């Protein structure tokens, strides 16, 4: 299937202005917090940051914001600040008390490694993934989110599969990949409703894996749809498809994205719950909008038909345009944050109508993705053989097909489970078209690679997709 060529993206989002404002707010936050052992979480009534220590689930987002600013500017000051706050969270790699170790470590150390290739950062990410993996039950087929109830799994947890996927191909245990796939399949089965909406929490029997109950903690009611939970699902299933190429995850990503888009109010920013009882007199949650916008932008690069690509991209543009407007951008207000109008936990009446550090983090990520998309390419891998069937034996080679919608730099490489390069299949400037390369199971020097797990990594611009390969000789 050949995708329609992309039309040039209309630059409708004032991303540069919003990113400049983000730089300004984060610089001021560094001065306000002034201590890398303290982590901003949400704003208080006077607009200043409520601070927590590194144990909070939100701690990784501030260093994550600083890393994203380093990505944008290459400025050494951003790198220094990001490194300082990141270093102070290292102890969190050993946190086995909840799934949040993924948020904490991947947003801080994960971004640090992505942008600096410092091997010490990689080791911390692997340790964090190892901690998360201790929460995996082969009976339930999921990592456990919290320690109450029987075996609760919240929709948010799908976000933390990314650290397992990543670590499995950078020197961690390749079994973490299978755990992540299993968790995502269970989440698809039990959290996602037929109409594409989601439950917040599914409680499993740890002895049998049976579903004991479904409920919400941060949403309005069991059968309603908590907006941020839906946003986590949009982002998380999209990421899971990027990491696996399993079409079931693309189907689910589309389903939850369609629900999100189709239930947005006219300003494209959701209420804190899609079925909150007093809509339109309910609070909006800008964090849900930011998370979903980032996920939708990635989804638009993974679908292969032009109409879907346009739908998801333009939905994301509309959300971002609204978030960049004076209605949501904190410019000219007393807030130390970047986005106004986030909701942490409405039922508990905490962090209602405030700036949230994770809303700011995904907003910046979405803006950077937007800028890249508007000026870069949206590639798609296709024709790739996935398990099952395994792309083996290797006598005739394994074919990797990809398409390039706009002229760009492309790299297709095979890496081992330590992340070390085994073979580069393609590298260079590609003009628009459809291409295929073959891996015959050999290393760079022509000698045969041994049986084992490998990953094919496809990069174009800042976008990438990976596929697991099992080579059996
Ligand atoms: N992961 C917690 C929240 O989204 O509020």
């Amino acid at each position: 299937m050949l995708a329609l060529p992309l039309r040039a993206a209309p630059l409708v989002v004032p991303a540069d202005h919003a990113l400049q404002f983000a730089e300004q707010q984060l610089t001021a936050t560094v001065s306000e917090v002034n201590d890398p052992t303290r982590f901003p979480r949400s704003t208080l009534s006077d607009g200043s940051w409520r601070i927590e220590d590194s144990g909070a689930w939100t701690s990784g987002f501030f260093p994550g914001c600083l890393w994203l600013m380093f990505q944008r500017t290459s400025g050494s000051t951003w790198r220094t600040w990001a490194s300082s706050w990141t270093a102070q969270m290292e102890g969190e790699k050993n946190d086995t008390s909840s799934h949040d170790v993924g948020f904490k470590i991947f947003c801080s150390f994960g971004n640090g490694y992505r942008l600096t290739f410092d091997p010490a950062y990689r080791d911390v990410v692997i340790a964090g993934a190892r901690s998360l993996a201790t929460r995996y039950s082969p009976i339930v087929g999921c990592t456990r989110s919290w320690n109450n109830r029987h075996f609760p799994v919240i929709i948010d947890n799908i976000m933390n599969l990314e650290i397992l996927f990543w670590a499995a191909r950078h020197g961690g245990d390749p079994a973490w990949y299978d755990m992540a796939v299993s968790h995502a399949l269970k989440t698809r089965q039990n959290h996602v409703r037929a109409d594409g909406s989601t439950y917040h929490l599914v409680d499993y029997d740890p002895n049998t894996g049976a579903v004991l109950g479904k409920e919400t903690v941060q949403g309005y009611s069991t059968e309603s749809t908590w907006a941020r939970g839906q946003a986590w699902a949009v982002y998380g299933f999209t990421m899971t498809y990027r990491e696996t190429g399993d079409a079931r995850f693309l189907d689910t990503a589309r389903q939850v994205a369609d629900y999100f888009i189709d239930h947005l109010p006219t300003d494209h920013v959701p209420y804190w719950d899609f079925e909150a009882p007093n809509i339109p007199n309910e609070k909006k949650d800008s964090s849900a909008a930011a998370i979903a916008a980032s996920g939708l932008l990635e989804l638009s690069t993974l679908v292969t038909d032009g109409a879907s690509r346009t739908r998801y991209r333009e939905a994301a543009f509309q959300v971002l345009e609204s978030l960049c407007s004076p209605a949501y951008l904190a410019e000219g207000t007393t807030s130390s944050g970047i986005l106004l109008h986030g909701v942490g936990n409405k039922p508990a009446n905490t962090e209602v109508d405030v700036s949230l550090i994770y809303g700011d983090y995904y907003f910046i990520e979405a803006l950077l993705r937007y800028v890249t998309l508007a000026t870069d390419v949206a590639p798609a891998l296709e024709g790739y053989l996935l398990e099952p069937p395994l792309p083996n034996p290797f006598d005739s080679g394994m074919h990797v097909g990809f398409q390039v919608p706009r002229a760009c730099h492309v790299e297709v490489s095979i890496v081992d489970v330590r992340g070390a390069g085994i073979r580069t299949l393609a590298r260079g400037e590609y003009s628009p078209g459809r291409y295929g390369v073959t891996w015959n199971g050999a290393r760079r020097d022509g000698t045969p690679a041994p049986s084992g797990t490998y990953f094919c990594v496809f990069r174009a611009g800042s976008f990438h997709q990976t596929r697991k390969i099992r080579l059996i000789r």
Side-chain angles (χ1 to χ4, degrees):
M1 177 173 37
L2 184 62
L4 297 175
L6 274 181
R7 58 189 174 80
L11 273 165
V12 293
V13 178
D16 275 334
H17 176 81
L19 285 165
Q20 275 161 23
F21 176 63
E23 281 191 50
Q24 196 181 305
Q25 291 298 83
L26 289 166
T27 303
T29 296
V30 167
S31 302
E32 182 182 329
V33 177
N34 195 29
D35 176 352
T37 65
R38 291 151 48 86
F39 297 83
R41 171 178 177 142
S42 55
T43 49
L44 300 165
S45 53
D46 66 356
S48 66
W49 284 112
R50 171 184 160 194
I51 305 288
E52 294 204 294
D53 66 25
S54 66
W57 81 271
T58 49
S59 59
F61 294 111
F62 181 59
C65 287
L66 300 174
W67 282 121
L68 293 177
M69 282 298 134
F70 173 58
Q71 175 182 336
R72 168 172 158 80
T73 63
S74 303
S76 59
T77 305
W78 290 109
R79 182 172 177 163
T80 303
W81 287 337
S83 310
S84 303
W85 263 270
T86 295
Q88 294 302 324
M89 330 192 17
E90 183 170 345
E92 298 307 321
K93 70 185 179 189
N94 299 318
D95 178 14
T96 56
S97 68
S98 83
H99 73 111
D100 290 324
V101 63
F103 280 120
K104 288 192 272 190
I105 295 298
F106 206 58
C107 295
S108 53
F109 287 88
N111 274 313
Y113 183 75
R114 181 173 65 82
L115 296 168
T116 67
F117 297 105
D118 181 340
Y121 287 165
R122 182 194 56 209
D123 293 347
V124 174
V125 178
I126 289 170
R130 183 171 292 112
S131 295
L132 180 58
T134 65
R135 302 186 62 80
Y136 181 78
S137 157
I139 297 171
V140 176
C142 291
T143 53
R144 182 173 182 156
S145 303
W146 297 334
N147 296 330
N148 54 10
R149 296 173 179 76
H150 300 89
F151 190 110
V153 177
I154 56 171
I155 187 69
D156 326 27
N157 202 333
I158 190 142
M159 297 293 286
N160 290 322
L161 305 183
E162 190 165 10
I163 194 173
L164 295 177
F165 283 126
W166 190 94
R169 62 184 162 84
H170 286 87
D173 185 343
W176 298 341
Y177 177 102
D178 302 318
M179 291 180 189
V181 169
S182 171
H183 185 114
L185 286 172
K186 284 281 171 184
T187 304
R188 177 177 190 267
Q189 183 185 337
N190 295 319
H191 278 81
V192 181
R193 304 187 185 106
D195 66 354
S197 65
T198 50
Y199 289 99
H200 180 201
L201 186 152
V202 176
D203 195 20
Y204 292 93
D205 183 333
N207 299 313
T208 65
V211 173
L212 295 175
K214 301 187 181 189
E215 57 179 295
T216 190
V217 177
Q218 283 163 263
Y220 167 59
S221 70
T222 301
E223 295 303 327
S224 73
T225 303
W226 174 46
R228 192 161 59 256
Q230 190 71 17
W232 292 138
V234 172
Y235 191 116
F237 280 109
T238 300
M239 173 275 296
T240 302
Y241 177 64
R242 174 233 294 159
E243 293 296 328
T244 62
D246 184 327
R248 290 173 292 184
F249 298 128
L250 180 60
D251 284 350
T252 305
R254 292 180 64 129
Q255 208 192 353
V256 294
D258 289 342
Y259 182 94
F260 193 97
I261 295 166
D262 292 344
H263 290 78
L264 286 174
T266 48
D267 74 350
H268 309 286
V269 176
Y271 295 96
W272 65 277
D273 188 297
F274 284 103
E275 284 89 37
N278 300 311
I279 289 172
N281 300 313
E282 294 279 3
K283 297 295 183 192
K284 296 291 187 68
D285 180 15
S286 59
S287 76
I291 295 159
S294 194
L296 289 169
L297 286 176
E298 178 160 49
L299 182 57
S300 78
T301 70
L302 298 175
V303 290
T304 51
D305 69 288
S308 300
R309 194 167 280 186
T310 302
R311 168 173 166 76
Y312 297 129
R313 202 172 50 172
E314 291 191 352
F317 287 5
Q318 286 175 321
V319 173
L320 286 179
E321 205 179 356
S322 192
L323 293 179
C324 287
S325 75
Y328 290 98
L329 204 64
E331 201 170 20
T333 75
T334 57
S335 175
S336 294
I338 299 164
L339 283 181
L340 301 169
H341 308 311
V343 172
N345 188 334
K346 182 71 167 53
N349 202 24
T350 55
E351 301 177 310
V352 176
D353 201 3
V354 296
S355 297
L356 296 165
I357 193 66
Y358 42 95
D360 290 355
Y361 173 84
Y362 289 102
F363 181 51
I364 297 168
E365 183 188 76
L367 290 169
L368 294 177
R369 285 182 173 181
Y370 170 81
V371 170
T372 306
L373 252 185
T375 55
D376 201 344
V377 296
L381 264 180
E382 61 169 313
Y384 198 85
L385 287 172
L386 301 169
E387 342 171 42
L390 293 173
N392 197 64
F394 272 72
D395 359 314
S396 56
M398 180 194 69
H399 178 75
V400 183
F402 61 95
Q403 59 188 8
V404 179
R406 277 193 255 163
C408 70
H409 187 83
V410 168
E411 190 168 322
V412 183
S413 49
I414 305 294
V415 300
D416 67 12
V417 291
R418 303 200 61 76
I422 294 293
R423 188 81 184 248
T424 302
L425 304 180
R427 182 190 284 151
E429 302 304 317
Y430 278 67
S431 48
R434 187 176 179 173
Y435 300 90
V437 289
T438 299
W439 187 41
N440 60 3
R443 293 194 185 98
R444 201 173 279 132
D445 64 5
T447 58
S451 294
T453 301
Y454 297 87
F455 292 89
C456 177
V457 181
F458 175 85
R459 291 185 191 284
S462 65
F463 292 89
H464 75 276
Q465 294 183 59
T466 61
R467 299 291 184 270
K468 182 177 168 184
I469 305 157
R470 202 162 285 148
L471 170 55
I472 304 161
R473 291 197 179 275

